[in-house]
């Protein structure tokens, strides 16, 4: 594959920036090229170097040039949602499988615009007390969980019926067909509501952990959902640039309903979060309050 093939492949996925934003990069490139030619008398050496530099510069502009405004809807969509989600599935499948110990905690740090940070510590097997954004949640042991943070002080610490839930989801399908059926079954009365399905995909990818095969199946199944669109120039809740996949709101929905937008890194296709909330850290730790 030569430089032009690489450029074409990159453009198919991410799309080119506008002429307005290309102008400064073009001027810098031409200025650098003129300086290079003055320093190096060898014509053919300069031409080869300029060709490689041009390909690299164009590729960088394709990937990184900002839109007029950062956020959802900025820029013109050139990325293909199927290609992006398929690439995200491939990236997820390459992640090493590292099952946690049942006694560990899933630590997730998310960031919203204006640098608002949320931290959670979820019990892996659901039997130990978790800490969610500063609030304690009782673990489920022997079918009973203590109540914390109740409005009635008399109920504080009292036991309630429960079923332990693991945040390491080994119960999910590992193929795209089975995962799509799982998502459709979970929709229930909402079947056909694409935006609601987007919320379910987001929920599985956000503050839970899936084995690589299930994580890949999740995005492969998402790639089969009709009506998705891609936005080239979006940022997640932490301000990181990426490509967005929009799950449209169904006709007849409330005027206040907003489409779910999942943001992926434009180079690695790793899931980043949404424009409202970015996953910046997700790992397993040994105790509540511990940070990696």
């Amino acid at each position: 594959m030569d430089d032009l093939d690489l450029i074409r492949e990159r453009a198919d996925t991410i799309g080119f920036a506008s002429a307005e934003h290309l102008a400064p990069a073009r001027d810098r490139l031409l200025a650098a090229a003129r300086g290079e030619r003055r320093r190096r008398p060898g014509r053919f050496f300069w031409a080869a170097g300029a060709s490689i530099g041009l390909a690299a510069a164009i590729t960088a502009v394709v990937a990184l040039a900002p839109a007029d405004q950062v956020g959802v809807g900025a820029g013109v969509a050139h990325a293909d949602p199927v290609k992006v989600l398929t690439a995200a599935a491939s990236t997820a499948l390459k992640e090493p499988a590292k099952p946690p110990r049942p006694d560990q905690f899933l630590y997730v740090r998310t960031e919203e615009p204006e640098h608002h940070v949320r931290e959670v510590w979820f019990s892996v097997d659901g039997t130990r007390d978790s800490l969610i954004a500063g609030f304690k949640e009782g673990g489920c042991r022997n079918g009973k969980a203590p109540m914390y943070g109740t409005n009635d002080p008399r109920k504080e610490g009292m036991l309630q019926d429960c079923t332990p839930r693991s945040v390491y989801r080994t119960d999910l399908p590992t193929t795209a067909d089975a995962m799509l059926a799982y998502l459709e079954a979970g929709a229930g009365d909402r079947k056909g509501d694409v935006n609601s399905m987007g919320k379910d995909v987001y929920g599985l990818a956000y503050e839970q952990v899936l084995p690589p095969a299930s994580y890949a199946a999740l995005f492969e199944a998402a790639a089969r959902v009709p009506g998705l669109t891609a936005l080239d120039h979006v940022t997640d809740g932490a301000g990181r640039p990426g490509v967005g996949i929009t799950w449209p709101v169904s006709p007849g929905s409330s005027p206040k309903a907003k489409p779910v937008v999942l943001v992926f890194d434009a180079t690695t296709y790793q899931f980043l979060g949404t424009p409202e909330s970015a996953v910046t850290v997700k790992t397993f730790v040994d105790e509540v309050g511990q940070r990696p």
Side-chain angles (χ1 to χ4, degrees):
M1 179 180 291
D2 58 22
D3 290 333
L4 291 178
D5 289 332
L6 288 171
I7 294 170
R8 293 190 189 100
E9 180 180 349
R10 194 73 182 144
D12 286 342
T13 303
I14 303 302
F16 286 98
S18 66
E20 177 185 354
H21 290 95
L22 285 173
R26 183 183 62 244
D27 293 341
R28 291 194 299 270
L29 178 63
L30 292 176
R34 288 193 293 270
E36 182 72 15
R37 178 153 47 182
R38 285 195 298 270
R39 290 192 297 271
R40 299 185 183 275
R43 175 184 176 188
F44 293 104
F45 180 87
W46 177 85
S51 174
I52 295 173
L54 178 61
I58 293 177
T59 302
V61 171
V62 168
L64 302 177
D68 292 338
Q69 292 181 351
V70 176
V72 179
V76 179
H78 297 286
D80 185 314
V82 174
K83 289 183 178 179
V84 172
L85 288 167
T86 301
S90 178
T91 294
L93 196 58
K94 295 175 184 177
E95 291 293 324
K98 297 180 179 179
R101 299 192 315 271
D103 63 336
Q104 286 189 300
F105 294 84
L106 172 63
Y107 170 71
V108 184
R109 183 183 190 275
T110 55
E111 187 172 333
E112 300 175 4
E114 306 300 328
H115 305 290
H116 177 72
V117 173
R118 166 183 163 95
E119 294 180 299
V120 299
W121 286 265
F122 290 114
S123 170
V124 167
D125 65 2
T127 66
R128 292 159 180 81
D129 293 350
S130 300
L131 187 63
I132 305 171
F135 295 94
K136 193 174 181 180
E137 182 177 277
C140 184
R141 296 176 287 274
N142 300 318
K144 299 291 182 179
M147 300 169 61
Y148 299 118
T150 63
N151 293 327
D152 186 348
R154 294 173 298 178
K155 295 182 179 180
E156 192 74 10
M158 292 183 61
L159 298 179
Q160 60 181 342
D161 293 338
C162 64
T163 300
R165 295 177 296 174
S166 175
V167 292
Y168 184 64
R169 300 296 303 275
T170 58
D171 59 320
L172 296 176
T174 57
T175 66
D177 288 339
M179 182 64 79
L180 185 59
Y182 172 84
L183 293 172
E184 290 176 341
D189 295 337
R190 298 179 289 109
K191 191 171 183 178
D193 186 339
V194 176
N195 195 49
S196 292
M197 186 178 290
K199 293 178 181 178
D200 293 339
V201 172
Y202 167 70
L204 290 173
Y206 188 58
E207 289 184 344
Q208 300 186 68
V209 176
L210 282 58
S214 293
Y215 204 27
L218 179 66
F219 294 134
E220 288 175 355
R224 300 184 183 184
V225 176
L228 305 185
T229 56
L231 301 172
D232 292 329
H233 304 293
V234 300
T235 55
D236 66 10
R240 297 175 297 186
V243 56
I245 302 300
T246 300
W247 301 68
V249 175
S250 299
S253 299
S254 167
K256 296 181 180 180
K258 295 182 179 180
V260 173
V261 179
L262 305 184
V263 183
F264 296 84
D265 185 282
T267 301
T268 66
Y269 302 103
Q270 180 182 13
F271 173 69
L272 298 179
T274 72
E276 292 79 28
S277 182
V279 179
T280 56
V281 181
K282 182 190 285 189
T283 190
F284 296 106
V285 296
D286 292 334
E287 58 185 36
V288 168
Q290 180 181 354
R291 296 179 177 88

